[in-house]
Amino acid sequence: MSPKQVVAAADPYFPNNGDHRFHAHRYELTLDYRPGPNRLAGTARINAIAGVGAPLREFALDLADFRIGRVLVDGRAAHYTHRAGKLRIKPAKAPAAGAAFTVDVHWSGNPKPVRSPWGGLGWEELTDGALVASQPVGAPSWYPCNDRPSDKASYQISVTTPSAYSVVTGGRLLTRTTRASATTWVYDQPAPTASYLVGLSIGVYRPVPLTEPHGGGVPQTGYVPARLQPQFEHDFARQPQMMALFEELFGPYPFAEYTVVVADEELDVPVEAQGLATFGTNHVDGARRFERLVAHELAHQWFGNSVTISGWQHIWLNEGLAKYAEWLWSERSGGPSAHHKAEAAYRQVTAFPQDLRIGDPGRRLLFDDRVYERGGLTVHALRVALGDDAFFRMLRGWATLNRHSVVTTADFVAHVARSTDRPVGDLLTAWLDRPELPPFPVRTPPPPPAAPLRAAPATRFWLRRPSGS
Ligand SMILES: [Zn+2]
């Protein structure tokens, strides 16, 4: 646990989510789900560490409206209250400052989305199955968690559900066991994962491998409604090439595998989760019309999932870099150049009011188009200012130095400053911290070549030594 995770203040956009008095580092979730009645029963074993300073007399988990069976801390029944999405727990014996402890919670009920300004978040019951799309604060709709993006943990998730359904999460499938008419799927995700990025899909899906089973590289699999398999195979055929490109540009893929689900439902937008992305049937048309979204979701595995923002005000770091990855894929796959894409985005952003600071857009405008488009433009402005060599070194360094870590916009600004000897502070301030749109980035002509050194007069002088010496 980095000190940053302990001392960070509550998220300014979602001050009620998460608890900084402790750090959860592993969740073991055992779930039983019946799709028909949409009934979920779960037990969670959470391994955690108390914050420094004082014994942990009280702490809170985020959990929506469920019936609580019991709550144990270090195996002993704890006193708790459960109100307004907060499970407040008073251990029988307070864990000492900095000490490891465990929490067990049993809960059950009918999961439903958490209400938000962007519609329902989290657990979504589908016509036949369910999916989870939690960004930014939907995770408590289905399991008890320390719901702040900076509190990353490893996960083991076991789901038992009728055998006709597939269960998909990001992570490695450890076992799949069928007893009577139910099947238990056990997945493990050892990489540090933010609660909003714990994904889950339950549905009638066909697995479609996108890579050779033993072909080397990152294993990639789709789970799709059988009728969409041909369209899916066409639309996602270039994903392995995207993976290769992004590994070249951003460094090694941060997880063991990558899974995409096409949920059997239309979705407004695809959503990223750890090692996983979920698309809607409307994003698959057999004509690759949505390929930019395939690139966008894959890029989030580096920007957002591995390198995670410590608070939601830094959202442009996720979306601006994923947007720019779309443009890089276009440029490197025979489509329009990133510069051309940036010009189009600039025209688009020009038409919007210039009243948003993307470096801190405010909770209501967290997912505003300008965060994405101007975010991509900010990255492009840096590329133009730094030049390709320094820019791509900077970008790869950002993803690899901060792999599986937690960052802020200030960290990014400092990283860029370290990556170049050109002054970029004013440029980043203009793009991130001011509402007015800066001029479109154009390459300044390189400085005229330095005049040839008035070549080594000393040498010549020395050569013109007096004859005879
Ligand atoms: Zn995105």
Side-chain angles (χ1 to χ4, degrees), residues 135 270 272 296-297 300 318-319 322-323 326 372:
Q135 190 183 33
E272 75 269 22
H296 183 105
E297 299 312 317
H300 272 312
N318 290 4
E319 300 307 343
K323 173 60 72 177
E326 293 176 28
Y372 291 67

Side-chain angles (χ1 to χ4, degrees), residues 20-31:
H20 284 272
R21 291 171 291 185
F22 74 101
H23 161 55
H25 62 89
R26 182 164 177 83
Y27 292 79
E28 290 167 8
L29 307 179
T30 305
L31 309 175

Side-chain angles (χ1 to χ4, degrees), residues 94-441:
F101 65 101
T102 61
V103 190
D104 294 276
V105 180
H106 295 217
W107 76 103
S108 59
N110 299 105
K112 59 176 188 293
V114 170
R115 273 199 300 252
S116 85
W118 313 279
L121 301 172
W123 189 281
E124 190 85 47
E125 186 188 359
L126 304 178
T127 309
D128 194 16
L131 68 77
V132 163
S134 296
Q135 190 183 33
V137 287
S141 68
W142 66 289
Y143 75 99
C145 53
N146 192 3
D147 192 31
R148 53 186 171 96
S150 56
D151 202 49
K152 303 214 275 188
S154 66
Y155 280 80
Q156 181 177 296
I157 300 178
S158 160
V159 182
T160 301
T161 201
S163 300
Y165 294 87
S166 297
V167 173
V168 188
T169 79
R172 177 150 289 165
L173 179 63
L174 298 181
T175 59
R176 188 176 65 181
T177 317
T178 299
R179 278 193 202 89
S181 58
T183 299
T184 300
W185 307 62
V186 181
Y187 282 90
D188 191 63
Q189 175 55 271
T193 301
S195 49
Y196 85 92
L197 288 168
V198 182
L200 175 68
S201 265
I202 298 172
V204 181
Y205 299 126
R206 176 178 291 176
V208 180
L210 289 166
T211 46
E212 299 293 328
H214 303 290
V218 179
Q220 297 166 61
T221 311
Y223 284 82
V224 300
R227 69 177 189 285
L228 288 178
Q229 184 176 347
Q231 292 92 320
F232 174 82
E233 283 179 336
H234 178 76
D235 288 0
F236 284 73
R238 303 208 292 180
Q239 187 181 276
Q241 289 159 258
M242 273 174 207
M243 180 69 83
L245 175 66
F246 290 172
E247 287 203 293
E248 175 198 326
L249 298 179
F250 311 147
Y253 178 73
F255 308 106
E257 46 216 274
Y258 185 53
T259 303
V260 288
V261 173
V262 178
D264 201 353
E265 203 106 353
E266 297 201 349
L267 300 181
D268 289 343
V269 288
V271 281
E272 75 269 22
Q274 200 83 313
L276 177 73
T278 306
F279 294 77
T281 52
N282 51 315
H283 301 125
V284 177
D285 65 354
R288 286 193 192 140
R289 210 151 53 85
F290 302 97
E291 198 183 48
R292 73 167 186 87
L293 299 176
V294 179
H296 183 105
E297 299 312 317
L298 177 58
H300 272 312
Q301 300 299 325
W302 285 264
F303 306 118
N305 300 13
S306 163
V307 183
T308 303
I309 51 177
S310 72
W312 291 104
Q313 69 272 36
H314 311 297
I315 183 78
W316 86 274
L317 280 172
N318 290 4
E319 300 307 343
L321 287 163
K323 173 60 72 177
Y324 202 67
E326 293 176 28
W327 301 351
L328 289 171
W329 167 248
S330 170
E331 175 170 292
R332 294 287 293 265
S333 64
S337 68
H339 197 77
H340 186 91
K341 291 283 199 184
E343 285 172 335
Y346 193 83
R347 281 193 295 275
Q348 193 182 332
V349 175
T350 308
F352 281 102
Q354 292 176 32
D355 58 1
L356 184 74
R357 294 159 57 231
I358 63 164
D360 190 357
R363 169 182 156 134
R364 195 174 55 83
L365 297 176
L366 197 51
F367 301 111
D368 191 277
D369 280 349
R370 287 168 290 179
V371 172
Y372 291 67
E373 303 296 336
R374 185 164 165 166
L377 283 163
T378 304
V379 180
H380 189 64
L382 276 178
R383 181 177 174 185
V384 169
L386 268 59
D388 276 10
D389 277 2
F391 169 78
F392 284 111
R393 231 179 303 119
M394 179 282 291
L395 193 58
R396 191 184 161 102
W398 175 249
T400 48
L401 294 170
N402 296 301
R403 185 178 163 97
H404 297 317
S405 187
V406 171
V407 295
T408 64
T409 296
D411 294 332
F412 182 78
V413 172
H415 172 77
V416 174
R418 279 192 298 271
S419 308
T420 177
D421 42 23
R422 295 176 188 230
V424 287
D426 289 349
L427 178 141
L428 284 169
T429 301
W431 281 95
L432 297 173
D433 300 335
R434 301 225 175 92
E436 317 85 66
L437 190 60
F440 186 77

